[in-house]
């Protein structure tokens, strides 16, 4: 890249940083094979070109200050592809993951933690070993996260989370019923049980190659307050200059998105518990995104004391005058401890260790 | 010059919302390679805001929009139409909506011999979906499902009104339901597979093949996440300029041309 284009890029990034930078970007890297055929290098080389584009876009995102980048590297449905293509992808994954965790300047510079999302039991043994090593070597990195979805489908993720939570209930780690004002299995707890547990909510989801569907990628995460864009170029052709207008369009929506997340957060808080205690064990960024800011906590407490019932039908206004009942804050802390303990033990995912992003 | 063209010729470029079924059939044409059986639409807003205030005019407009979509969907042969709105619909409003739909369908089909029956519903509570997973015979389950959805009445078009609670919150409610079933020893956590959940969650709502978003931004608005796995999502940013009928036609044509590889 010439000095001129590098300078222009730096100027553009500085300009973008005057507005809000998305915390979490999702990428469906579609069109590698078609691009490979278009430039007459074949499917296999198409995948390698796609990886190079990923490195570039990742570097750009890190430079801008994006915290989490989630990429759709391989779908469980992709196992249906011809064996030689699947083998190429496995080889690519092995070499590149090893490179990323051992030699990558980018990972070191930006403190990127590598996570591999998906049902890795479907992968060959050698790939699983490389994954385990990559995740282990980078698990202490807490300034940014790279989520490689390999092999992943959103339905498998939701099934895994459901099964995991139900096994927690079977083992009496968690309670499915409502106790006073708290309920263990709320929407935010289900969200914390997914593979993307350490990550802030998804802000932008981009799919290349002109297809207009999600193909089982991040269905839960992109369902609400997420800016989705379908781009009409193949993934290896995707550059910073194609990303730029997407970021600008996102910045136009950033304030309404933050606003509706806060409003949803108030509804969730009223459903779950009272957020009075700062020293909670499970203060992941998901919780932070849902929590009201410090100035608004005041009116939240006032709001809770004034309201008898919340927006959610789950919270009933039970009589709380019985002697010996703990305060709502006490129950809240117990519930958070239960959930946290569950996520660190029975619900633990070795390839997605929980980290508190800086 | 371009402005002059746009001002004077724009109305002629876009077809007006039709009042009779034969116009829709003519506009859609007969060359569509495939048509969706389930169409989902995310509407801009209803008359009810997040704080619970009701705006009568907007609510009325929303009802009119739903009735229109019902007309066009039935003309094309769509079997299920699901509409997402930003707040739940009360049972009284549901009845009012049903009356409106019946009335407009009669008008729309006045030149035809038979008026198709369009019945509107909201999703039943999640507790009722578990028993369906235990039914072994699949073909019977489909017939029984059709009968169950509208209390035994026959219908040509099934209209489902969804709200944000039917998205993430319903999935969380489903986990609680399965947890309680596990505590009662009715199921074990190992039985929970993707197809188990699919059978359970599809009991009330099938997967839409095409989703049209009638909002300025491409926002899925908590449409039930499980169901839009492979759905083609149609959205046009110029909502203020392009009429809804044009978007409807364009979405159908786009859907007919799309090529699903299913991972291969």
């Amino acid at each position: 890249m010439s000095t001129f284009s590098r300078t222009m890029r730096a100027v553009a990034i500085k300009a973008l940083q005057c507005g809000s930078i998305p915390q979490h970007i999702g990428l469906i890297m579609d069109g590698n094979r078609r691009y490979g055929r278009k430039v007459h290098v074949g499917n296999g080389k198409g995948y390698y070109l796609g990886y190079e584009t990923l490195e570039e876009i990742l570097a750009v995102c890190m430079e801008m200050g994006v915290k989490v980048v989630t990429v759709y590297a391989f779908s469980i449905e992709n196992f249906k592809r011809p064996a030689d293509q699947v083998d190429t992808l496995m080889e690519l994954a092995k070499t590149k993951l090893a490179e990323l965790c051992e030699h990558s300047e980018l990972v070191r510079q930006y403190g990127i933690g590598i996570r591999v999302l998906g049902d890795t039991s479907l992968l060959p043994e050698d790939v699983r070993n490389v994954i385990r090593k990559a995740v282990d070597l980078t698990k202490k990195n807490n300034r940014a996260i790279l989520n490689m979805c390999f092999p992943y489908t959103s339905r498998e993720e939701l099934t895994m989370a459901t099964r995991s939570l139900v096994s927690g209930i079977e083992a009496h780690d968690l309670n499915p019923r409502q106790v006073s004002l708290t309920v263990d299995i709320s929407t935010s707890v289900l969200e914390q049980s997914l593979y993307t547990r350490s990550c802030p909510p998804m802000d932008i989801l981009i799919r290349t190659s002109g297809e207009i569907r999600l193909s089982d990628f991040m269905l839960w995460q992109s369902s609400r307050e997420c800016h989705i864009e379908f781009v009409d170029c193949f993934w290896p052709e995707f550059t910073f200059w194609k990303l730029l207008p997407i970021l600008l369009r996102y910045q136009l929506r950033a304030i309404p998105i933050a606003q509706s997340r806060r409003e949803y957060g108030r509804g969730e808080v009223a459903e779950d518990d009272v957020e009075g205690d700062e020293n909670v064990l499970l203060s992941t960024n998901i919780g932070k995104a849902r929590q009201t800011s410090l100035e608004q906590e005041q009116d939240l407490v006032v709001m809770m004391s004034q309201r008898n019932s919340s927006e959610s039908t789950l919270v009933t206004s039970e009589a709380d005058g019985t002697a010996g009942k703990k305060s709502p804050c006490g129950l809240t802390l117990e519930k958070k401890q239960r959930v946290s303990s569950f996520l660190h033990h029975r619900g633990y995912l070795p390839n997605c260790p929980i980290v508190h992003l800086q | 010059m371009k402005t002059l063209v746009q001002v004077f010729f724009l109305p002629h470029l876009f077809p007006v919302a039709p009042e009779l079924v034969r116009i829709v059939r003519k506009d859609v044409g007969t060359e569509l390679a495939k048509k969706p059986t389930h169409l989902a639409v995310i509407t801009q807003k209803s008359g009810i805001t997040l704080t619970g205030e009701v705006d009568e005019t907007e609510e009325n407009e929303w009802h009119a929009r739903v009735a229109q979509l019902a007309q066009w969907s039935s003309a094309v042969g769509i079997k299920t139409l699901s509409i997402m709105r930003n707040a739940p619909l009360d049972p009284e409003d549901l009845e009012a909506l049903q009356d409106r739909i019946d009335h407009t369908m009669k008008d729309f089909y006045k030149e035809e011999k038979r008026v198709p029956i369009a019945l509107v519903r909201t999703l039943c509570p999640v507790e009722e979906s578990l028993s369906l997973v235990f039914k072994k015979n699949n073909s019977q389950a489909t017939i029984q499902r059709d009968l169950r959805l509208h209390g035994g009445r026959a219908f040509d078009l099934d209209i489902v009104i969804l709200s944000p609670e039917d998205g993430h919150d319903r999935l969380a409610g489903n986990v609680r339901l399965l947890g309680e079933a596990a505590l009662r020893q009715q199921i074990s956590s190992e039985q929970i597979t993707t197809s188990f959940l699919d059978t359970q969650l599809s009991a009330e709502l099938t997967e839409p093949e095409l989703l049209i978003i009638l909002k300025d931004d491409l926002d899925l608005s908590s449409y039930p996440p499980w169901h839009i796995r492979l759905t083609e999502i149609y959205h046009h940013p110029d909502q203020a300029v392009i009429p809804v009928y044009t978007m409807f036609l364009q979405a159908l044509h786009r859907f007919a041309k799309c090529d699903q590889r299913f991972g291969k």
Side-chain angles (χ1 to χ4, degrees):
Chain A
M1 203 174 32
S2 71
T3 321
F4 175 71
S5 54
R6 219 176 299 138
T7 316
M8 289 309 297
R9 197 170 96 168
V11 166
I13 290 178
K14 273 278 178 283
L16 281 170
Q17 284 170 335
C18 296
S20 34
I21 296 292
Q23 292 294 286
H24 184 170
I25 295 185
L27 299 163
I28 303 181
M29 309 185 292
D30 198 12
N32 297 307
R33 291 181 298 172
R34 279 171 281 170
Y35 180 75
R37 289 198 289 271
K38 175 176 161 183
V39 298
H40 307 296
V41 297
N43 292 334
K45 186 82 170 108
Y47 292 136
Y48 279 83
L49 292 170
Y51 180 78
E52 280 168 25
T53 308
L54 170 60
E55 275 187 327
E56 268 182 50
I57 298 293
L58 182 61
V60 150
C61 288
M62 291 297 121
E63 211 180 309
M64 281 194 299
V66 177
K67 288 283 165 203
V68 182
V69 176
T70 303
V71 298
Y72 204 5
F74 192 86
S75 164
I76 295 178
E77 303 292 321
N78 291 151
F79 280 115
K80 294 182 206 160
R81 288 190 181 175
D84 58 320
Q85 287 185 23
V86 176
D87 289 338
T88 313
L89 283 165
M90 294 294 148
E91 270 312 304
L92 179 63
K94 265 190 348 203
T95 20
K96 296 307 176 184
L97 271 174
E99 229 177 77
L100 274 174
C101 65
E102 282 162 11
H103 309 299
S104 171
E105 187 50 45
L106 196 60
V107 168
R108 219 188 336 263
Q109 186 186 353
Y110 291 103
I112 304 177
I114 297 179
R115 303 276 181 282
V116 175
L117 276 45
D119 187 4
T120 46
S121 67
L122 298 169
L123 297 172
E125 177 77 41
D126 49 351
V127 182
R128 282 208 302 273
N129 291 337
V130 175
I131 288 174
R132 196 171 313 129
K133 187 169 166 209
V135 171
D136 264 338
L137 279 179
T138 56
K139 71 176 174 215
K140 292 272 164 34
N141 295 350
N142 62 355
R143 283 186 288 133
I145 291 178
L146 169 62
N147 287 322
M148 306 271 297
C149 291
F150 194 97
Y152 174 90
T153 54
S154 194
R155 282 194 173 184
E156 191 277 320
E157 181 180 34
L158 289 166
T159 310
M160 180 278 301
T162 305
R163 191 172 43 231
S164 170
L165 286 169
V166 171
S167 75
I169 295 170
E170 272 177 343
H172 302 282
D173 291 346
L174 297 166
N175 187 353
R177 292 188 197 97
Q178 185 194 317
V179 175
S180 187
L181 288 174
T182 70
V183 55
D184 276 3
I185 315 289
S186 61
T187 310
S188 60
V189 168
L190 180 51
E191 185 146 359
Q192 285 160 27
S193 311
L194 300 173
Y195 292 125
T196 49
R197 45 184 56 177
S198 303
C199 306
M202 189 172 275
D203 294 306
I204 305 182
L205 174 60
I206 299 169
R207 181 175 186 148
T208 52
S209 89
E211 305 289 353
I212 50 170
R213 53 184 178 262
L214 294 177
S215 297
D216 228 338
F217 182 68
M218 300 282 148
L219 299 174
W220 173 286
Q221 292 84 342
S222 63
S223 174
R224 187 180 51 226
E225 284 112 29
C226 174
H227 180 77
I228 303 176
E229 289 251 0
F230 296 113
V231 181
D232 203 2
C233 71
F234 298 125
W235 172 250
E237 294 168 332
F238 192 70
T239 60
F240 169 73
W241 301 106
K242 295 204 163 74
L243 178 60
L244 180 60
I246 298 175
L247 291 168
L248 288 170
R249 282 193 287 270
Y250 164 76
Q251 289 190 333
L252 287 172
R253 278 185 75 181
I255 294 177
I257 283 180
Q259 169 75 8
S260 50
R261 277 196 190 141
R262 271 200 299 276
E263 280 167 6
Y264 182 80
R266 284 205 200 109
E268 272 274 301
V269 162
E271 173 195 304
D272 284 353
D273 44 50
V274 176
E275 295 277 345
D277 200 323
E278 282 297 309
N279 296 327
V280 287
L281 290 174
L282 199 66
S283 56
T284 62
N285 278 14
I286 293 167
K288 285 201 180 89
R290 291 271 168 78
Q291 282 174 19
T292 57
S293 64
L294 271 170
E295 305 112 294
Q296 286 162 334
E297 255 181 53
Q298 295 288 346
D299 18 338
L300 184 70
V301 172
V302 169
M303 211 163 76
M304 277 304 296
S305 60
Q306 280 171 357
R307 283 158 62 156
N308 284 327
S309 59
S310 75
E311 288 151 19
S312 163
T313 53
L314 292 163
V315 180
T316 59
S317 51
E318 308 252 8
D320 50 7
T322 51
K325 234 182 174 151
K326 293 181 190 165
S327 70
C329 285
L331 278 169
T332 300
L333 200 53
E334 264 187 31
K335 171 215 158 164
K336 282 189 169 2
Q337 282 169 347
R338 270 202 300 275
V339 172
S340 173
S341 161
F342 168 76
L343 290 173
H344 281 87
H345 299 107
R346 190 175 297 272
Y348 181 69
L349 293 170
N351 292 325
C352 312
I354 296 177
V355 74
H356 301 303
L357 279 177
Q358 280 177 15
Chain B
M1 183 60 200
K2 189 175 170 194
T3 326
L4 280 173
V5 169
Q6 280 182 335
V7 166
F8 288 105
F9 293 111
L10 208 63
H12 299 284
L13 290 173
F14 299 122
V16 176
E19 287 171 18
L20 292 172
V21 62
R22 61 175 164 81
I23 303 176
V24 176
R25 290 204 181 119
K26 185 173 70 81
D27 286 334
V28 166
T30 45
E31 294 120 27
L32 285 183
K34 52 182 177 166
K35 289 185 213 167
T37 46
H38 178 171
L39 171 69
V41 180
I42 297 180
T43 51
Q44 171 77 326
K45 51 189 174 216
S46 56
I48 305 180
T49 64
L50 284 168
T51 46
E53 293 156 23
V54 181
D55 181 343
E56 291 289 340
T57 334
E58 278 196 25
E59 187 70 6
N60 204 27
E61 267 178 40
W62 184 84
H63 281 239
R65 172 72 67 223
V66 173
Q68 239 181 6
L69 288 165
Q71 287 175 338
W72 303 338
S73 308
S74 65
V76 175
I78 290 169
K79 293 275 172 285
T80 312
L81 172 66
S82 55
I83 315 259
M84 182 74 184
R85 54 181 262 147
N86 66 342
L89 196 65
D90 291 328
E92 313 88 57
D93 291 336
L94 192 67
E95 279 180 30
L97 180 61
Q98 179 69 70
D99 285 335
R100 184 140 189 186
I101 291 173
D102 291 335
H103 188 73
T104 48
M105 288 291 271
K106 234 190 304 211
D107 252 347
F108 196 65
Y109 281 86
K110 60 180 177 237
E111 289 181 356
E112 309 286 311
K113 293 196 195 83
R114 186 183 162 268
V115 180
I117 303 168
L119 295 180
V120 72
R121 63 182 171 99
T122 52
L123 294 183
C124 285
V126 71
E127 285 77 22
E128 296 178 21
S129 61
L130 193 55
S131 54
L132 290 148
V133 191
F134 300 127
K135 279 193 166 50
K136 299 273 165 53
N137 192 334
N138 277 326
S139 59
Q140 270 200 6
T142 325
I143 303 166
Q144 282 173 4
R145 176 182 177 274
D146 281 345
L147 290 175
R148 181 180 40 89
L149 290 177
H150 289 283
R153 292 175 292 166
F155 56 89
D156 299 293
L157 175 63
D158 175 27
I159 307 175
V160 193
I161 309 293
L162 300 165
S163 63
E165 285 84 32
D166 294 320
H168 296 161
D169 296 336
R170 193 176 174 89
L171 284 170
N174 197 45
V175 177
R176 284 192 291 275
L177 175 74
L178 291 172
E180 301 212 15
L183 286 177
R184 286 195 301 269
Q185 315 274 321
Q186 281 178 316
I187 57 163
S188 80
S189 57
E190 275 101 46
Q191 281 177 273
I192 299 175
T193 56
T194 311
S195 57
F196 178 97
L197 278 182
D198 197 27
T199 316
Q200 201 198 352
L201 294 168
S202 306
E204 287 284 306
L205 183 70
T206 53
E207 281 182 46
E209 286 116 344
L210 176 61
L211 168 66
I212 302 177
I213 301 183
L214 298 179
K215 283 182 138 178
D216 294 319
D217 301 307
L218 213 180
D219 176 16
L220 293 174
S221 313
S222 292
Y223 190 95
W226 183 270
H227 297 81
I228 48 172
R229 171 175 70 123
L230 297 174
T231 309
E232 297 286 316
I233 300 170
Y234 181 83
H235 173 254
H236 200 293
D238 289 332
Q239 294 280 327
V241 174
I242 314 261
V244 177
Y245 182 59
T246 309
M247 282 196 279
F248 176 80
L249 294 175
Q250 282 184 352
L252 285 178
H253 280 99
R254 182 83 195 256
F255 176 76
K257 280 195 283 196
C258 75
D259 171 35
Q260 285 260 11
R261 290 180 298 279
F262 298 106
K264 289 203 265 275

